[in-house]
Amino acid sequence: MTENVQNSTFETTNNKWLDVWNEFKNHKGALAGAIIFALIVILVLIGPFVWPYEANGINIRIRNQGPSLAHPLGTDQLGRDTLARIMAGGRTSITVGLTAMLLSLFLGTLIGVVAGYFKKLDSALMRFTDLFLSLPLLPLLLVMMLLFREPLSTSFGPEKGMFILIVVSIGITSWMPTARIVRGDVLAIKEREFILAARSIGGTDTKIIFRHILPNVLSPIMVSATLGIANAIITESALSFLGLGFPPDFPTWGRLLNDAVDYLQQFPERVFWPGLAISLTVLSINYLGDGLRDALDPRIRGR
């Protein structure tokens, strides 16, 4: 009997994810976004290992060259290959986006679940969330960069220190939308019959949250994850563009934009390539998140 129930549950779960996949692949924009994002990730991860030029390889004799067979995107003022720097910068920007998203998702999910499930903590946590939402994001990030840049660079080195600072800064300033979305879903789910049944047979709060609440708020969490990556990439690029991100010899897409500003009139393509990389990545992630939302939410499936 128990084996039959387990098999039935397994089949139901498989059918659910099959329905999600069928709905997702019918969303042309989401499918295109997923393919483009996958290609960008493969390019920035594998490209530097197969491309013959290093991102910081200086060759003054070929500086300021236009696109050619040897250098498809040209070279910069120090003779560094632009394509190599785009790939290396993409690796850094996407890594920052993924790591900051995970931190933001953890904080948002934790606060959203606790606020939605425990009525006594709801008001305090939501006022705390509103406080963070009222803070001006960019000035706050700039202040954090100025305050903690030197101590962390001294303790962990320029690259690792800035990576930690940027990830933590973005993560602790972008969890609020996730918290509010998760809280709203938890408030609805905790009044459902299966939650009341779990309580009636002596289920603890921890067990109910992990076995019943979290699996049922997976949909908004996954959508928030995709949008969080895009937001983190844009924020990191903005900080690097303002000169408050990684060191000049550590390429990111924002840093490449910063370096290209001084040569905008003579070589406008230097701004175009990193800008295109940021735009394609963010746009593909947004389409991916849109498709996931439609596929995971049964209320709007098939519209």
Side-chain angles (χ1 to χ4, degrees):
M1 180 68 178
T2 304
E3 185 178 349
N4 290 336
V5 171
Q6 290 177 344
N7 289 336
S8 176
T9 304
F10 180 74
E11 290 175 3
T12 302
T13 304
N14 278 349
N15 290 335
K16 174 188 173 183
W17 288 109
L18 184 61
D19 291 341
V20 169
W21 165 245
N22 288 333
E23 183 67 27
F24 180 82
K25 70 180 182 180
N26 289 331
H27 194 299
K28 303 303 182 184
L31 200 60
I35 293 172
I36 292 173
F37 183 63
L39 291 175
I40 292 172
V41 171
I42 292 171
L43 178 65
V44 301
L45 289 179
I46 300 177
F49 294 105
V50 299
W51 192 244
Y53 302 102
E54 295 183 0
N56 290 321
I58 297 175
N59 186 351
I60 298 298
R61 291 177 295 179
I62 59 170
R63 65 190 182 97
N64 294 328
Q65 286 191 355
S68 63
L69 290 177
H71 305 280
L73 303 185
T75 60
D76 65 6
Q77 69 276 10
L78 296 177
R80 296 173 295 192
D81 183 73
T82 301
L83 178 57
R85 291 179 66 75
I86 291 286
M87 290 189 292
R91 178 182 294 185
T92 304
S93 296
I94 292 176
T95 302
V96 168
L98 288 170
T99 313
M101 175 272 295
L102 290 175
L103 176 59
S104 170
L105 211 62
F106 171 76
L107 293 174
T109 302
L110 176 64
I111 292 175
V113 169
V114 172
Y117 190 82
F118 298 101
K119 189 175 181 180
K120 292 181 179 179
L121 299 175
D122 187 20
S123 179
L125 288 175
M126 284 301 98
R127 299 298 75 75
F128 179 69
T129 303
D130 291 338
L131 174 64
F132 267 79
L133 283 170
S134 67
L135 295 174
L137 179 59
L138 188 56
L140 179 62
L141 289 172
L142 296 179
V143 170
M144 295 175 71
M145 295 295 118
L146 293 174
L147 287 178
F148 301 110
R149 183 173 189 165
E150 290 301 325
L152 286 175
S153 295
T154 302
S155 301
F156 299 99
E159 291 86 6
K160 289 183 180 179
M162 283 308 303
F163 180 83
I164 294 171
L165 177 56
I166 290 176
V167 166
V168 172
S169 299
I170 296 174
I172 66 175
T173 56
S174 59
W175 54 267
M176 298 80 72
T178 302
R180 300 185 81 171
I181 293 171
V182 171
R183 171 189 172 267
D185 278 18
V186 172
L187 284 173
I189 291 170
K190 76 174 185 177
E191 302 300 330
R192 301 272 294 276
E193 290 81 2
F194 65 93
I195 299 295
L196 299 176
R199 284 203 193 99
S200 68
I201 61 174
T204 63
D205 290 334
T206 303
K207 188 176 293 186
I208 291 173
I209 288 172
F210 281 98
R211 286 190 178 181
H212 302 290
I213 298 291
L214 282 177
N216 283 282
V217 296
L218 185 62
S219 170
I221 289 174
M222 291 180 66
V223 174
S224 295
T226 57
L227 300 179
I229 297 173
N231 177 67
I233 290 174
I234 291 175
T235 306
E236 182 279 324
S237 299
L239 291 173
S240 295
F241 177 73
L242 294 173
L244 294 172
F246 290 93
D249 59 342
F250 197 77
T252 68
W253 287 335
R255 188 75 220 184
L256 294 177
L257 284 173
N258 178 276
D259 293 341
V261 167
D262 293 335
Y263 301 88
L264 182 60
Q265 293 184 341
Q266 300 96 325
F267 309 101
E269 68 276 5
R270 292 187 191 173
V271 176
F272 175 77
W273 296 121
L276 178 64
I278 295 171
S279 298
L280 278 178
T281 304
V282 171
L283 190 62
S284 64
I285 292 173
N286 284 338
Y287 272 111
L288 178 60
D290 191 43
L292 283 175
R293 183 200 62 200
D294 292 353
L296 289 169
D297 192 342
R299 294 169 297 182
I300 57 177
R301 216 177 270 171
R303 283 189 183 178

